[in-house]
Amino acid sequence: MRISVIGSGYVGLVTGACFAELGNNVLCVDNNELKIKSLKKGIVPIYEPGLKELVTSNMKEKRLSFSTSVKEGVKFSEVIFIAVNTPPKSNGEADLKFVENVAREVAVNMPSYRLIVEKSTVPVNTGEWIERTVKMFNKRNIKFDVASNPEFLREGSAINDFMHPDRIVIGVGSKKAEKILTGLYEPLGAPIVVTGIKSAELIKHASNSYLAMKVSFINAISAICDLMGADISCVSKGMGLDSRIGSDFLKAGIGFGGSCFPKDLSAFIRLSARAGYDFNLLKEVQKINEEQISLVLKKVKDMVWNIEGKTISVLGLSFKPDTDDIRNAPAFRLISMLQSEGARIKVYDPKCMEKSRKVLSKATVFCKNAYAAVDGSDCMIVATEWSEFKELDLKRIKNMMRQAVIVDGRNIYDPQKTKKLGFKYVGIGRR
Ligand code: UGA
């Protein structure tokens, strides 16, 4: 099939490259000329394991191409995925102006029937708005359908998630749209849930909120473990083996971040309130997440006493491992709190040093590796669980630090072994 994907950001690019890998002919469109110029040369602007290889091999096979013209995208294919960004506005609502612009451009350029599929995470009713917008600008009365096909891929494992999904959700209003989309996804062999458009939109919001709730729940339990002297790893293992609960998303840490959970939660709370439902449960999920960083700061204080004048190393900046995404990464809030209390901060991350330089204060010391970051430091904080941090030579680190103190924000080290090596150690919900 020929497929157009409008918006070559994280979701759009992965979707386009994976559809091409499945044998389709894909055109990825983006209005950022610089990005498209780079992509045409095989330069992928984001770090996602396997994505560069997938993009270059499919370009070589002539199944994947790029353009800055939405018009070209609309002409290219009967199926048009909208995967433009929906950034949060200051009031927490998703800003849908890019979706609206694309809908308008599709409407004026459709040569014949088009299926317009929303892939971006959008509030319930966006499907209806897209339909209204296209109708309004579709002066030649060309037939079209709108569908919702939310994406559930995670950064860091996006290609695997796309190729091996637990389920595919398709929200449609016509048999024709259903046939096209089920045909497109059939090769993946995953269960396909066909619903109305609104239900599909809601599935995405409800799934992300539920997962964020799981993370905040386990973080709350970790605080109780700290107070009562229990071990969160044992508690979460014991809970997770219950198949009704499941072990995923039960890892306590410094809180969730990224471009999805924080944004989606705010948007879902807003849109529920507008519809007449006060979603207090989700407000509490947000509150627990915010407080988690303060709890980490308190742990640092409990370990090194006064923050002012101390050198503190932060290992990991991205919001999770295997990505260079620093949007809403909890490490940055922690660093700014520590700096405002007078700490000298040394940082290292395997993938996002350049991006972070633009965001962190000039006083921050950027180091070439984890060892350089902990050299002379009073406290080492693990903020992201990159695999390479699990492999560090802790003996060597102990000898390099001014004070051998570890605040393990992702529980990657064994507390007993670490203490045996002579460290003062505290994790999240265990010590
Ligand atoms: C999330 C969802 O998992 C995807 O299904 C969805 O498609 C995506 O949002 C989206 O809406 O686009 P993502 O934000 O890439 O994916 O990352 P996750 O793996 O879900 O992690 C989110 C945050 O939760 C991270 O900060 C991570 O460190 C934290 N987390 C996750 C925990 O602290 N503990 C856990 O056990 C799991």
Side-chain angles (χ1 to χ4, degrees):
M1 265 177 96
R2 282 161 83 95
I3 299 169
S4 296
V5 183
I6 316 288
S8 302
Y10 195 79
V11 170
L13 198 55
V14 172
T15 304
C18 289
F19 274 137
E21 182 69 11
L22 292 175
N24 301 290
N25 208 334
V26 180
L27 178 67
C28 284
V29 178
D30 201 289
N31 61 5
N32 182 332
E33 288 183 15
L34 212 69
K35 188 192 276 181
I36 292 298
K37 214 169 152 189
S38 306
L39 282 166
K40 280 183 173 171
K41 288 186 208 149
I43 302 166
V44 176
I46 45 171
Y47 172 71
E48 175 64 33
L51 183 59
K52 187 178 162 32
E53 293 75 7
L54 212 61
V55 167
T56 44
S57 67
N58 280 287
M59 280 171 75
K60 228 183 191 169
E61 298 296 327
K62 306 237 175 303
R63 286 193 299 252
L64 182 62
S65 48
F66 298 96
S67 167
T68 49
S69 156
V70 174
K71 188 173 176 183
E72 199 184 320
V74 179
K75 298 256 149 74
F76 182 80
S77 156
E78 196 182 55
V79 188
I80 300 156
F81 283 89
I82 303 183
V84 293
N85 56 338
T86 53
K89 292 199 271 195
S90 55
N91 64 5
E93 267 175 30
D95 189 342
L96 298 172
K97 63 172 178 281
F98 302 121
V99 176
E100 184 183 347
N101 289 348
V102 173
R104 212 176 313 126
E105 276 211 60
V106 172
V108 296
N109 289 301
M110 295 190 297
S112 53
Y113 172 85
R114 289 295 179 264
L115 171 58
I116 304 150
V117 190
E118 38 157 335
K119 192 90 179 148
S120 310
T121 303
V122 289
V124 181
N125 285 343
T126 305
E128 232 170 60
W129 274 109
I130 295 178
E131 197 165 342
R132 261 200 242 180
T133 308
V134 176
K135 244 187 210 150
M136 193 95 80
F137 290 87
N138 177 14
K139 305 282 183 224
R140 287 164 297 146
N141 239 346
I142 290 162
K143 282 208 161 64
F144 71 95
D145 277 309
V146 173
S148 162
N149 169 220
E151 187 49 72
F152 300 102
L153 49 84
R154 288 163 298 178
E155 295 190 20
S157 56
I159 290 164
N160 191 55
D161 289 344
F162 187 97
M163 293 297 189
H164 308 283
D166 290 341
R167 82 310 203 179
I168 285 147
V169 174
I170 287 172
V172 284
S174 82
K175 279 280 161 212
K176 183 169 182 170
E178 177 180 344
K179 196 164 168 236
I180 295 174
L181 285 173
T182 47
L184 196 57
Y185 280 109
E186 211 162 40
L188 295 179
I192 299 182
V193 180
V194 180
T195 71
I197 296 174
K198 284 186 185 175
S199 300
E201 291 167 334
L202 203 52
I203 288 171
K204 170 73 185 194
H205 271 305
S207 302
N208 268 7
S209 304
Y210 189 86
L211 292 170
M213 180 183 75
K214 255 187 126 177
V215 175
S216 275
F217 185 87
I218 204 66
N219 282 339
I221 300 290
S222 80
I224 294 170
C225 284
D226 279 335
L227 294 170
M228 297 188 170
D231 183 330
I232 191 66
S233 334
C234 305
V235 176
S236 114
K237 188 175 175 193
M239 284 173 65
L241 284 172
D242 184 330
S243 60
R244 293 170 303 173
I245 298 173
S247 58
D248 287 340
F249 283 72
L250 281 188
K251 265 196 247 125
I254 64 171
F256 58 76
S259 66
C260 306
F261 283 3
K263 184 183 92 175
D264 283 7
L265 271 179
S266 306
F268 198 23
I269 290 168
R270 284 285 304 185
L271 82 91
S272 304
R274 265 203 188 180
Y277 184 79
D278 192 0
F279 217 145
N280 281 316
L281 175 63
L282 294 186
K283 289 182 195 162
E284 200 57 36
V285 168
Q286 285 183 317
K287 188 166 162 253
I288 292 169
N289 199 50
E290 273 156 29
E291 285 168 359
Q292 198 63 7
I293 285 292
S294 310
L295 291 180
V296 177
L297 184 67
K298 184 175 175 301
K299 283 175 193 286
V300 177
K301 286 182 179 168
D302 288 346
M303 298 297 257
V304 303
W305 198 11
N306 297 301
I307 300 280
E308 193 175 351
K310 297 278 162 51
T311 299
I312 294 175
S313 335
V314 177
L315 300 191
L317 295 168
S318 56
F319 82 101
K320 62 183 234 178
D322 296 320
T323 176
D324 62 351
D325 197 340
I326 56 171
R327 285 174 289 178
N328 290 309
F332 289 77
R333 270 186 59 218
L334 183 61
I335 289 171
S336 117
M337 281 168 150
L338 289 164
Q339 283 176 329
S340 68
E341 295 213 19
R344 177 175 175 257
I345 300 291
K346 295 175 83 182
V347 297
Y348 169 69
D349 185 281
K351 286 286 174 211
C352 49
M353 296 295 267
E354 279 320 304
K355 277 188 183 173
S356 306
R357 255 180 228 280
K358 293 179 192 142
V359 183
L360 287 171
S361 86
K362 296 244 175 313
T364 314
V365 182
F366 289 82
C367 302
K368 64 176 190 306
N369 57 37
Y371 295 105
V374 299
D375 196 11
S377 141
D378 295 287
C379 176
M380 156 179 148
I381 303 175
V382 180
T384 315
E385 66 277 35
W386 284 94
S387 310
E388 67 170 75
F389 299 155
K390 297 177 188 165
E391 310 301 325
L392 289 174
D393 179 350
L394 290 181
K395 252 190 207 155
R396 183 176 161 201
I397 286 187
K398 181 174 174 281
N399 293 328
M400 295 174 88
M401 292 181 77
R402 195 156 81 116
Q403 296 190 64
V405 170
I406 297 179
V407 175
D408 186 355
R410 298 291 182 173
N411 290 343
I412 63 171
Y413 299 121
D414 181 318
Q416 301 318 322
K417 281 188 192 155
T418 321
K419 282 183 206 158
K420 238 188 191 159
L421 287 170
F423 283 97
K424 264 172 79 186
Y425 172 94
V426 66
I428 305 292
R430 63 180 197 168
R431 48 179 66 241

